[in-house]
Amino acid sequence: MADLDGRVALVTGASRGLGEGVARALAARGAAVMLVARDGAAAEAVARSIAAAGGRAEAMACDVSDYAAVGRVVDRTRAALGGLDILVNNAGVIEPIAEIATSDPAEWARSISINLVGAYNGVRAVLPGMLSGGGGTIVNVSSGAAYRPLEGWSAYCAGKAGLAMLTRAIALEASGRGIRAFGFSPGTIDTEMQAKIRASGINPISRIPRSELSPVEHAVRGLVYLCTPEADDLAGQDVAMRDDAFRRRIGLG
Ligand code: NAP
C-alpha cells in the first residue's frame, strides 16, 4: 500500500476503539498524527505509545461538538505537525439508547451535536486550509444505521444519516478542488461502543454475540486504505466493510 510519509492526519475519538487503531496505523505508515478525545489523558497515553514505537503523534483534549475547541486543535496540528492532509471524523456516541416516546430531548440533541455537528465542525475547520493547500482527504465514519432505522437508536440513526449527506455535500462542493471525501461504515466491530449496545438489549444489533463481532483491525485496514491514493476512484462514496468487493480490494477475501 502507499506510503503516508510526510502526511499529517487529525483523528477524532482516538483514545480507544476504531479511532485509536486508525491513529496507530496511520502513524505506522509514516503520517504524523494528532489524536483527540474528550478524555485528553487517554488520548495522550495512545500518542505516547505511538511515539515510543517510533511514530510522530500529539494529543489534545477536545469535545468535537465545540467548534472553537476544534478550531484550536486544527491550528495546533498545523503549527506542531506542519500541515493537515487527512481528517478522520471518527468521534461518536451511541447514547441516548431510548425509544422516541420516552427519550430525553436534551440527550437527543446532544447526540446530534456530537455525531453530526461534531463532524461538520471538523470539516469546517480544516477545509479552507485544505482547499488553499491543494487538497486533502476527509473520512466520515458512518454506519449501517445511516440507512436502516433501529429500535432505540433514533438519534444515532438520524445523525449518521445526516453525516452520509454531509459526505455527499463535501464531494459536490469540493471534489473538483482536490478534496477526497468518503463515508466509511466499519461493520459491527468489537469496541466499547458495542459493549454498551450489548448491555442495552434493545434491538437486533444488541443481541449479536461478542464472538460474532469483527475485529477492529479489519476496519482499520479499510479506513487507512481510503487515506491512500489507491482509493481515489471511491471518493465521494459511502464505503462499507460489509461490501465484498471492497473487502477483496483490501485483501480480506
Ligand atoms: P468507542 O470505543 O466508544 O470510541 C469512541 C471514541 O470517540 C472515544 O475515543 C471517545 O472518547 C470519542 N468521543 C466520543 N464523544 C466525543 C466527543 N464529543 N468529542 C471528542 N471525542 C469523542 O466507539 P467505536 O466503536 O470505536 O466507534 C468509532 C466510530 O465508529 C463512531 O463514529 C461509531 O459511531 C462508528 N461505528 C462503530 C461501530 C461499532 O460496531 N463499534 C459500528 C458502526 C459505526 P471520549 O469519550 O474520551 O471523548
Side-chain angles (χ1 to χ4, degrees):
M1 289 217 278
D3 186 354
L4 295 174
D5 257 348
R7 300 286 175 194
V8 178
L10 165 57
V11 182
T12 69
S15 61
R16 59 174 189 264
L18 179 60
E20 175 185 354
V22 166
R24 288 184 185 282
L26 290 173
R29 298 277 295 275
V33 185
M34 173 64 83
L35 297 86
V36 301
R38 290 169 299 185
D39 182 344
E44 181 64 44
V46 178
R48 272 200 304 271
S49 144
I50 289 173
R56 193 160 168 229
E58 290 226 354
M60 284 176 77
C62 172
D63 184 331
V64 295
S65 68
D66 176 350
Y67 181 70
V70 174
R72 284 192 293 275
V73 166
V74 168
D75 290 347
R76 169 80 192 153
T77 304
R78 291 202 168 107
L81 301 177
L84 215 176
D85 308 288
I86 298 165
L87 168 66
V88 181
N89 267 325
N90 166 78
V93 292
I94 191 67
E95 299 88 357
I97 299 177
E99 292 196 354
I100 298 166
T102 52
S103 59
D104 180 279
E107 288 177 8
W108 207 97
R110 174 85 181 129
S111 166
I112 299 294
S113 77
I114 295 173
N115 293 347
L116 177 55
V117 180
Y120 159 81
N121 286 342
V123 175
R124 174 65 184 85
V126 303
L127 207 45
M130 283 185 175
L131 288 170
S132 62
T137 296
I138 296 170
V139 183
N140 292 323
V141 178
S142 182
S143 168
Y147 301 99
R148 172 188 175 193
L150 284 146
E151 300 85 346
W153 287 11
S154 60
Y156 185 76
C157 294
K160 292 296 189 185
L163 186 58
M165 183 53 80
L166 179 63
T167 301
R168 293 174 62 188
I170 301 163
L172 179 69
E173 293 185 9
S175 65
R177 291 184 282 164
I179 305 299
R180 305 179 326 133
F182 303 89
F184 176 72
S185 293
T188 45
I189 51 174
D190 191 10
T191 65
E192 196 169 309
M193 183 179 282
Q194 280 294 340
K196 290 178 190 163
I197 291 168
R198 262 195 317 282
S200 75
I202 200 161
N203 61 31
I205 305 296
S206 68
R207 291 187 282 277
I208 299 175
R210 185 173 181 188
S211 59
E212 288 179 20
L213 299 175
S214 303
V216 175
E217 299 72 41
H218 288 187
V220 167
R221 192 194 295 198
L223 198 157
V224 171
Y225 179 87
L226 299 181
C227 298
T228 73
E230 290 168 79
D232 278 356
D233 62 305
L234 299 174
Q237 298 181 30
D238 253 11
V239 175
M241 282 300 294
R242 67 178 175 283
D243 178 58
D244 287 337
F246 182 66
R247 295 180 72 82
R248 280 195 298 277
R249 200 166 155 154
I250 62 170
L252 286 175

